[in-house]
Amino acid sequence: MLGSIAGPQDVKRLAAEELPRLAGEIRDLLVDSCARFGGHLGPNLGVVELTIALHRVFDSPRDPIIWDTGHQSYVHKVLTGRAGGFAALKQEGGLSGYPSQAESEHDFVENSHASTALSYADGLAKAFKLRGERDRTAVAVIGDGALTGGMAWEALNNIAAVKDLPVVIVVNDNGRSYSPTIGGLASHLSSLRVNRRYEDFLGYVKDKIGNVPVLYDALHGVKKGVKDVLAPQAMFEDLGLKYVGPIDGHDEQAMEAALRKARGFRGPVIVHALTQKGRGYSPAENHDEDQFHSPGAFDRATGAEKPKGRIWTNAFSEELVRLGKEREDLVAITAAMLHPTGLNAFAEHFPERIYDVGIAEQHALTSAAGLALGGLHPVVAVYATFLNRAFDQLLMDVALHRLPVTVVLDRAGVTGDDGASHNGMWDLSILQVVPGLRIAVPRDGDRLAELLREAVEVTDGPTVLRFPKGPVAEPVEAVGKLGEMDVLLTPAAEPDVLLVGVGPMAQVCLDAARLLDAQGIAATVVDPRWVKPLDEALAPAAAVHKLVAVVEDNGRVGGVGDAVARLLRDADVDVPVRTFGVPQEFLDHAKRAAILGRVGLTGQDLARRITEAVARRTSSAAEAVRP
């Protein structure tokens, strides 16, 4: 049946009795594709019937459907003619794991950062009103995990203020975000999930007194009181939002009926759908950790994931547990990503010292500030891309008060498969402006443990530790020290080039240095370990070289390379600085190694470009002394 689905109109033409077969084929496609390549399997298995209903009721792309977060959009991709693309899911040149404007007109926004869909929908619906397009509806599908983000509630407050705003909000309530959703809102929705008495009561009222308007109005206050007792969904209606549900999100016909009712209201409506993450694939349904939220490649028959080996996250997780045993003041914070950031091991050892704040990075940082003010040392572990959301809190709530908070950035630099929104290539630039902040970048697992220990010893300001995605690098031992920096290679001849390798780029610099040596260019390689503030010993070292090259897996603008150039200028060291990093652009998804190769961050590319730079400088010097 999937072969006949070229777009939403084909979904609309199907008879109701054909839809279970379509749902089954979609689930088979999702499991097969994610088994080969990995991907967000659990969330998408849970929204199959819900997505079919959306596309039968609304007219995408005229009615934009916005997914929060975008990782639950696979079924939407299938129903908008992209089933064939799942043969290369998340592979270079293949289908993205998130909505993509380049792929389809049905993907309005490329959102993968949570709690944004309601704000997009608010703006779109207001635009429709102002343009007189009264037959259009903005649809936002938001999980209850995303509703733990404050931005979602800012949007709800504004949506509710315009009574005729054409917005339908589907709350995809599966009780989970990555792991079981944390917080009061999750508990509130859980009470709705298990209590059907309110719906039964409403049905009774409609049947018995629906034809007596005066009596119905007279009993409105009674109904309101009963509603508050039977199902505490008043939080939505008290905002002024019409509420429909809860609905079985796997009953396609019931979902269609609810969505049609919501669309016909022509004002802001909440449709509350109860779904099961991992639905229809028993290994996912029975996976307690996260219902196969985002597994790597796995065996389809058993669900067993293929071994990943030891990754950077493991090295962090192990050292944090060791530190936790030594220091009772150490606490940890996660934003709904206990397992992905490796804090699950700390939670098992110290359950009273771990805080999961939900998808709320801003709150995480300011809560950490409070913990630090209370005499503790918080470690906040987030993906590097999500730190962008909490910059103000790190700057004004933590750094301004010189508080000892350690922020650990997993998946820093180029992450690859998850696309532009997940590359952690901004932190080394935006964090340069934070007064009193120290940033450490380890080159291997041993240095990660070493630098984490140093970071949590800092008592007069915040620290940041960043590391990339993937297998942890093998140890690279220093051959000497330059101030507090590690010297990794010292040339036998008079040095020409000083290579400053930031974290995992140190190995790339070593590879380049060996190739440069074959060209007669002598290179010194140093790993600064701490890149903010830079060690002042870097200036006199640079002065005895002809060229300084800084290599980082961060955007070139405002990163470590610019900081090195500024350090040399301030020290009156007149040696040219070349920065090698990630271009300031949104990168298409591909494997990390492929992207690094594409942007020239390999030993061979680096050696070639430095050879050319040295040749130009030598030629210019010769021209200057020619009579």
Side-chain angles (χ1 to χ4, degrees):
M1 186 175 288
L2 280 182
S4 68
I5 304 297
Q9 294 308 312
D10 296 321
V11 182
K12 288 179 170 64
R13 281 194 287 266
L14 294 175
E17 57 269 21
E18 295 179 285
L19 299 179
R21 177 184 165 192
L22 175 63
E25 290 187 13
I26 291 172
R27 285 194 167 93
D28 285 341
L29 174 67
L30 295 180
V31 174
D32 287 342
S33 300
C34 292
R36 287 197 301 273
F37 307 120
H40 288 95
L41 179 60
N44 287 285
L45 290 174
V47 297
V48 176
E49 290 83 6
L50 187 158
T51 309
I52 292 172
L54 283 167
H55 279 290
R56 283 171 66 83
V57 172
F58 296 98
D59 294 317
S60 176
R62 184 158 182 80
D63 295 327
I65 302 174
I66 305 166
W67 299 89
D68 197 341
T69 63
H71 64 234
Q72 59 182 336
S73 65
Y74 289 12
V75 187
H76 165 79
K77 289 177 182 254
V78 172
L79 299 181
T80 52
R82 286 172 275 175
F86 280 82
L89 176 65
K90 297 178 65 177
Q91 305 305 294
E92 186 171 7
L95 204 64
S96 167
Y98 290 92
S100 169
Q101 292 178 334
E103 285 180 9
S104 173
E105 63 179 348
H106 296 279
D107 293 0
F108 254 68
V109 296
E110 306 197 5
N111 57 321
S112 64
H113 288 199
S115 311
T116 60
L118 299 183
S119 297
Y120 282 120
D122 175 60
L124 278 164
K126 287 172 178 172
F128 298 159
K129 279 193 63 180
L130 286 173
R131 291 166 58 90
E133 298 173 326
R134 299 195 176 275
D135 61 336
R136 302 184 72 182
T137 302
V139 183
V141 185
I142 184 166
D144 55 354
L147 280 171
T148 60
M151 186 175 170
W153 291 91
E154 294 173 20
L156 279 173
N157 185 54
N158 279 269
I159 289 170
V162 185
K163 301 307 178 186
D164 61 344
L165 195 66
V167 175
V168 172
I169 300 164
V170 180
V171 176
N172 172 28
D173 180 6
N174 59 22
R176 308 180 76 93
S177 44
Y178 290 83
S179 301
T181 304
I182 301 299
L185 176 65
S187 299
H188 186 107
L189 290 175
S190 294
S191 68
L192 297 177
R193 199 177 295 126
V194 298
N195 195 330
R196 297 292 301 185
R197 289 180 293 161
Y198 173 52
E199 290 304 306
D200 295 340
F201 175 80
L202 286 187
Y204 174 82
V205 170
K206 182 178 180 181
D207 291 342
K208 298 299 182 184
I209 64 174
N211 294 323
V212 189
V214 175
L215 181 58
Y216 189 87
D217 291 343
L219 290 177
H220 177 76
V222 175
K223 184 186 75 171
K224 177 80 171 176
V226 173
K227 179 183 70 174
D228 289 344
V229 171
L230 296 180
Q233 66 233 31
M235 63 176 181
F236 291 125
E237 290 194 356
D238 286 348
L239 277 172
L241 295 164
K242 187 69 174 175
Y243 175 90
V244 178
I247 310 295
D248 180 354
H250 301 296
D251 184 335
E252 195 280 334
Q253 292 298 293
M255 281 303 309
E256 271 197 52
L259 292 170
R260 291 188 194 283
K261 182 187 299 183
R263 183 177 188 179
F265 184 66
R266 303 311 298 164
V269 182
I270 295 273
V271 178
H272 183 187
L274 306 180
T275 64
Q276 179 188 14
K277 197 169 182 178
R279 176 84 167 202
Y281 181 55
S282 57
E285 292 179 352
N286 298 321
H287 190 251
D288 290 336
E289 181 180 310
D290 65 3
Q291 267 64 55
F292 272 34
H293 177 80
S294 181
F298 59 89
D299 181 88
R300 194 198 194 287
T302 66
E305 282 196 65
K306 296 177 181 178
K308 294 179 181 177
R310 190 165 181 266
I311 61 175
W312 286 91
T313 308
N314 298 140
F316 160 65
S317 178
E318 294 160 6
E319 188 61 23
L320 188 65
V321 169
R322 283 191 285 268
L323 286 165
K325 291 176 180 178
E326 298 170 15
R327 292 183 49 168
E328 293 183 356
D329 66 328
L330 211 63
V331 296
I333 300 177
T334 177
M337 300 185 76
L338 188 72
H339 290 84
T341 60
L343 290 183
N344 54 303
F346 189 89
E348 291 168 7
H349 284 85
F350 316 105
E352 74 287 356
R353 288 156 57 188
I354 182 80
Y355 304 98
D356 188 338
V357 300
I359 304 178
E361 291 84 3
Q362 292 170 299
H363 168 64
L365 264 295
T366 304
S367 179
L371 286 163
L373 285 167
L376 301 175
H377 191 111
V379 176
V380 182
V382 296
Y383 283 6
T385 183
F386 297 130
L387 180 67
N388 304 351
R389 316 190 81 182
F391 172 76
D392 180 67
Q393 287 70 29
L394 181 59
L395 176 68
M396 291 298 176
D397 301 338
V398 177
L400 177 64
H401 299 97
R402 298 177 296 281
L403 294 172
V405 173
T406 296
V407 179
V408 175
L409 301 181
D410 200 330
R411 272 93 165 152
V414 171
T415 57
D417 293 350
D418 284 326
S421 63
H422 271 54
N423 288 321
M425 53 178 279
W426 322 103
D427 55 291
L428 290 180
S429 298
I430 64 176
L431 295 179
Q432 289 291 334
V433 302
V434 179
L437 176 71
R438 299 168 174 85
I439 306 174
V441 190
R443 65 179 178 270
D444 56 40
D446 288 358
R447 251 44 61 180
L448 188 155
E450 176 183 283
L451 288 168
L452 179 60
R453 285 183 169 270
E454 292 180 23
V456 299
E457 288 296 325
V458 174
T459 61
D460 61 349
T463 53
V464 169
L465 177 78
R466 77 180 316 251
F467 52 83
K469 178 182 180 180
V472 65
E474 291 298 318
V476 177
E477 299 303 329
V479 298
K481 298 292 285 187
L482 182 60
E484 294 300 316
M485 298 180 289
D486 284 345
V487 178
L488 305 182
L489 181 66
T490 302
E494 182 179 348
D496 297 304
V497 178
L498 175 62
L499 293 175
V500 180
V502 177
M505 293 294 101
Q507 182 60 60
V508 176
C509 289
L510 286 170
D511 295 341
R514 296 184 183 102
L515 294 171
L516 289 170
D517 184 64
Q519 299 296 319
I521 299 173
T524 304
V525 178
V526 299
D527 170 10
R529 298 175 67 254
W530 291 90
V531 298
K532 183 182 186 305
L534 288 165
D535 196 312
E536 293 186 358
L538 193 60
V544 299
H545 291 77
K546 300 171 184 175
L547 179 73
V548 175
V550 183
V551 188
E552 56 190 302
D553 58 343
N554 182 77
R556 292 181 66 240
V557 177
V560 180
D562 286 356
V564 169
R566 185 169 59 254
L567 174 73
L568 299 190
R569 288 196 303 271
D570 290 348
D572 290 326
V573 175
D574 189 19
V575 175
V577 177
R578 298 287 183 271
T579 298
F580 299 92
V582 181
Q584 301 296 152
E585 60 190 53
F586 295 109
L587 305 171
D588 290 336
H589 64 279
K591 296 296 182 186
R592 172 179 162 88
I595 293 176
L596 292 177
R598 188 189 307 158
V599 301
L601 291 179
T602 68
Q604 186 171 9
D605 287 322
L606 192 61
R608 175 180 54 79
R609 292 162 71 187
I610 290 174
T611 299
E612 292 170 354
V614 170
R616 286 195 299 271
R617 183 166 174 78
T618 302
S619 174
S620 297
E623 288 289 335
V625 299
R626 183 175 297 169

